């Protein structure tokens, strides 16, 4: 059980959804958990629930995360904070693109830059990146989201190359739809409306299923690296093929059902 190797964790996006569940699970496994997010009330709630150490920090602020990790010895880094915006490149504005790059990609890269050297020096550590099926499949819209998640997929693989020879493990967890409030945030609708639209009557994975995957990857022996877990709802599949037919000025779009 590699858990005995790990004493401390830093989880971004711990104020909600998957990050909350992962932070809670790592506490239950006996780790000291630094929980990062912007919503200090939610972080305090999590602290009261399970004793995480809350840090109200915007991960897009590189100076703030630099200050946050200064002096910390972190054995497990979980890059989970994420934002998503609807729309193709045609509907994106400058803020949409910058925010997603800053939170979903830049923050993760900087945290790896800051924490990986200590893990390599100690010859022990684990980085878990929560990406998305959006990094591997195209399903239209959310272009910057797809791009940042694809980038973190590559980062996850590259990290293993960078850490080669040391007992530092890297796991990418690539979920499909999971029941969280992210859809309410994306569409700027109430959690109840989002629930009706995205979850009701569907059998969608829960945040505890993602925490199970993290626990599994961390708990394997240190000589095993679980590189990637694609965690999709059984009743959700990516894929399909569309072909457009041009007849004069008309465009007929076809696709499989
Ligand atoms: N739910 C899904 O269906 C799904 C599917 C595939 C992948 N994912 C990915 O899984 C991860 C977790 O998503 P979730 O569904 O649990 O989302 P969520 O419920 O919306 O939680 C997002 C978390 O990210 C944090 N966050 C966002 N911007 C931040 C910033 N600038 N600084 C610090 N923290 C920030 C939020 O905290 P504050 O608001 O407190 O800042 C919150 O804790 C994300 O990376 C997401 O892209 C989600």
């Amino acid at each position: 059980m590699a858990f005995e190797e790990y004493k401390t964790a830093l989880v971004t996006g711990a104020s909600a959804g998957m990050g909350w569940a992962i932070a809670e699970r790592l506490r239950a496994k006996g780790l000291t958990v630094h929980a990062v997010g912007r919503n200090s009330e939610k972080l305090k709630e999590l602290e009261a629930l399970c004793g995480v150490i809350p840090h109200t920090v915007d991960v897009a602020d590189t100076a703030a995360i630099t200050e946050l990790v200064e002096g910390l010895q972190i054995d497990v880094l979980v890059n989970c904070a994420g934002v998503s915006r609807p729309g193709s490149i045609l509907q994106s504005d400058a803020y949409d693109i910058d925010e997603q790059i800053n939170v979903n990609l830049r923050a993760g890269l900087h945290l790896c830059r800051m924490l990986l050297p200590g893990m390599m020096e100690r010859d022990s550590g684990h980085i878990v990146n929560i990406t998305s099926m959006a990094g591997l499949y195209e399903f239209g819209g959310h272009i910057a989201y797809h791009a940042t998640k694809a980038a973190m997929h590559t980062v996850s693989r590259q990290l293993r190359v960078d850490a080669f020879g040391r007992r530092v493990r890297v796991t990418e967890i690539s979920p499909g739809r999971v029941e969280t409030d992210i859809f309410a945030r994306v569409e700027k609708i109430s959690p109840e409306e989002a629930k009706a639209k995205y979850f009701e009557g569907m059998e969608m994975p829960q945040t505890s299923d993602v925490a199970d995957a993290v626990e599994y990857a961390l708990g394997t022996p240190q000589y095993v690296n679980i590189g990637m877990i694609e965690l999709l709802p059984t009743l959700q599949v990516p894929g399909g093929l569309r072909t457009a037919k041009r007849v004069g000025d008309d465009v007929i779009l076809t696709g499989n059902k």
Side-chain angles (χ1 to χ4, degrees):
M1 278 287 291
F3 264 108
E4 286 140 24
E5 291 285 326
Y6 302 143
K7 304 276 179 273
T8 54
L10 188 148
V11 181
T12 68
S15 56
M18 296 181 209
W20 174 293
I22 294 165
E24 198 182 354
R25 183 69 60 89
L26 296 183
R27 277 296 297 143
K29 298 299 291 182
L31 278 76
T32 298
V33 177
H34 296 270
V36 181
R38 291 167 303 176
N39 187 331
S40 52
E41 287 309 308
K42 294 304 287 182
L43 290 174
K44 272 189 216 148
E45 239 179 77
L46 185 60
E47 179 187 18
L49 179 71
C50 64
V52 297
I53 301 168
H55 299 276
T56 306
V57 171
D58 181 343
V59 295
D61 180 344
T62 306
I65 52 174
T66 305
E67 198 180 320
L68 163 70
V69 302
E70 205 155 290
L72 291 184
Q73 180 176 308
I74 298 297
D75 300 320
V76 178
L77 166 64
V78 183
N79 284 312
C80 183
V83 286
S84 177
R85 298 273 175 272
S88 74
I89 194 75
L90 302 171
Q91 290 103 33
S92 300
D93 64 23
Y95 180 77
D96 288 342
I97 291 175
D98 290 347
E99 192 199 18
Q100 288 174 92
I101 291 173
N102 289 341
V103 176
N104 300 356
L105 175 60
R106 181 175 284 127
L109 275 171
H110 281 304
L111 285 168
C112 290
R113 172 179 64 78
M114 294 176 215
L115 296 175
L116 181 63
M119 294 178 185
M120 290 179 68
E121 203 179 304
R122 295 190 299 279
D123 196 24
S124 176
H126 207 134
I127 295 175
V128 178
N129 293 323
I130 308 296
T131 60
S132 168
M133 70 192 287
L136 302 170
Y137 307 97
E138 286 69 43
F139 36 88
H142 301 259
I143 186 166
Y145 187 74
H146 281 252
T148 57
K149 294 298 184 179
M152 281 307 285
H153 167 69
T154 297
V155 166
S156 305
R157 300 202 161 210
Q158 186 68 31
L159 279 170
R160 293 207 60 224
V161 178
D162 293 354
F164 179 58
R166 311 301 285 170
R167 293 188 186 89
V168 176
R169 304 190 290 166
V170 183
T171 301
E172 174 189 2
I173 297 183
S174 177
R177 189 178 299 176
V178 175
E179 189 160 346
T180 73
D181 284 343
I182 197 169
F183 297 93
R185 281 187 257 280
V186 171
E187 293 207 21
K188 296 189 171 59
I189 55 178
S190 70
E192 293 68 34
E193 286 173 289
K195 196 176 172 60
K197 185 168 174 184
Y198 289 98
F199 304 121
E200 248 162 45
M202 298 174 198
E203 297 165 14
M204 293 294 125
Q206 304 297 305
T207 58
S208 58
D209 297 308
V210 179
D212 286 346
V214 173
E215 180 177 341
Y216 166 67
L218 263 58
T220 54
Q222 217 181 9
Y223 58 80
V224 174
N225 188 94
I226 302 297
M228 182 174 169
I229 297 176
E230 195 179 73
L231 193 159
L232 306 186
T234 304
L235 299 182
Q236 180 181 55
V237 290
L241 184 64
R242 297 196 298 164
T243 311
K245 185 174 176 183
R246 302 296 303 251
V247 183
D249 285 342
D250 293 334
V251 183
I252 301 159
L253 303 178
T254 65
N256 59 355
K257 295 217 168 36

